[in-house]
Amino acid sequence: MATSRYALRLREPIARSLLDVLRSRFDQVSTPAADGTVLIVDNLDQAAVRALLTLLWDTSHEVLSFSEANQE
């Protein structure tokens, strides 16, 4: 099963408490944007993508864009 790195641009900064939850559930999570509105998550399969988007939805985080990011 293929895994990838995804970049999600959020309307507002991600809540610190949610970031802690994401880091406990997913392999690698980072927020490279200084304002915390970009979320990079590595090693996601299709089920994990759905779980991530559902978690963001359930916590009222609006996703502006979702794209596959370059592996660096």
Side-chain angles (χ1 to χ4, degrees), residues 9-56:
R9 184 167 304 279
L10 308 175
R11 179 164 302 283
E12 296 186 13
I14 191 163
R16 169 97 31 220
S17 58
L18 178 58
L19 189 56
D20 291 342
V21 169
L22 293 174
R23 287 183 172 147
S24 72
R25 291 188 183 184
F26 301 101
D27 287 339
Q28 296 207 8
V29 178
S30 61
T31 54
D35 63 0
T37 60
V38 175
L39 181 66
I40 304 290
V41 186
D42 290 336
N43 301 321
L44 292 180
D45 60 15
Q46 188 174 13
V49 168
R50 182 178 174 127
L52 173 62
L53 291 173
T54 299
L55 188 55
L56 290 168

Side-chain angles (χ1 to χ4, degrees), residues 5-7 40 42 67-72:
R5 168 182 283 185
Y6 292 95
I40 304 290
D42 290 336
S67 60
E68 192 167 11
N70 294 330
Q71 298 281 345
E72 295 180 7

